[in-house]
Amino acid sequence: MHISVSSFAALALSGLVAASISVGAFTLDPDAPSADSAVTADLEHPDSDQIRMEQTVIIRVPRAAPPPKGKSRDFQQNFKEEKMGGCVTMKKIAGVRVAGNQTLELLTVDGHLVRAYLNKGCEAREFYSGFYIEKPGDGKFCKEREVLHARSGAECRVTKFRLLKAK
């Protein structure tokens, strides 16, 4: 019995046919189940041979340079906080540094500073070497949504963002 190459390929990919090759055409092995019974058996148990593939992209935000030595208090007093939206575009984040007990400062590629307040029970010092974050589907790092992962194993969420402007 001869079958077309496309139907043979479909049956072979579904794992239902044992095949041998003859010159010029594909033939079915006589000991293999018929194509009709194989397809019927596959329809009765559709989930038995399915593969599910998932992809997760993890983004690492590295540690940024700390404020100049001996100037950290003056450095923090030279800025005022302004309200901003609840999200920061991930592509714009260049680095992070510890700013206080529960605050991190995100440095952006365009030179802005964004203060991120961590939820209660989280300590900013856990993120001294930066953090990891799963890439959000919309490309935005949003408060109360994304989880920051530290190399130490700590996990925290951001409760609010504030834009730092020079006084």
Side-chain angles (χ1 to χ4, degrees):
M1 172 169 94
H2 293 294
I3 62 171
S4 70
V5 174
S6 61
S7 62
F8 176 79
L11 292 172
L13 287 175
S14 66
L16 301 174
V17 174
S20 63
I21 300 176
S22 67
V23 178
F26 290 103
T27 60
L28 284 177
D29 187 353
D31 297 331
S34 72
D36 292 336
S37 65
V39 171
T40 305
D42 193 40
L43 291 175
E44 291 173 3
H45 304 289
D47 295 331
S48 61
D49 294 330
Q50 293 186 2
I51 296 174
R52 181 176 177 173
M53 297 176 69
E54 293 182 357
Q55 180 180 8
T56 302
V57 177
I58 304 295
I59 299 171
R60 180 177 182 273
V61 178
R63 178 180 67 177
K69 207 169 201 169
K71 301 278 184 177
S72 63
R73 177 169 278 185
D74 295 337
F75 183 80
Q76 289 178 357
Q77 291 176 353
N78 289 333
F79 290 97
K80 63 179 179 175
E81 291 184 1
E82 290 184 4
K83 287 186 177 182
M84 63 175 285
C87 298
V88 178
T89 305
M90 283 300 303
K91 287 183 180 180
K92 289 188 176 186
I93 300 174
V96 63
R97 64 181 173 215
V98 176
N101 291 338
Q102 288 186 301
T103 57
L104 299 172
E105 287 179 354
L106 305 174
L107 286 75
T108 64
V109 293
D110 54 1
H112 292 104
L113 278 174
V114 176
R115 185 162 289 153
Y117 287 86
L118 301 176
N119 59 349
K120 290 184 180 183
C122 288
E123 295 194 25
R125 68 179 176 209
E126 295 283 341
F127 301 93
Y128 68 92
S129 64
F131 62 85
Y132 296 90
I133 186 171
E134 189 173 326
K135 183 180 180 184
D138 60 358
K140 294 181 180 180
F141 170 28
C142 296
K143 67 179 186 175
E144 303 290 341
R145 186 176 76 176
E146 274 70 47
V147 177
L148 305 178
H149 300 274
R151 292 182 71 180
S152 64
E155 295 181 351
C156 294
R157 293 186 193 270
V158 172
T159 58
K160 66 181 175 180
F161 291 111
R162 292 292 183 252
L163 183 63
L164 298 178
K165 295 268 185 158
K167 287 184 178 178

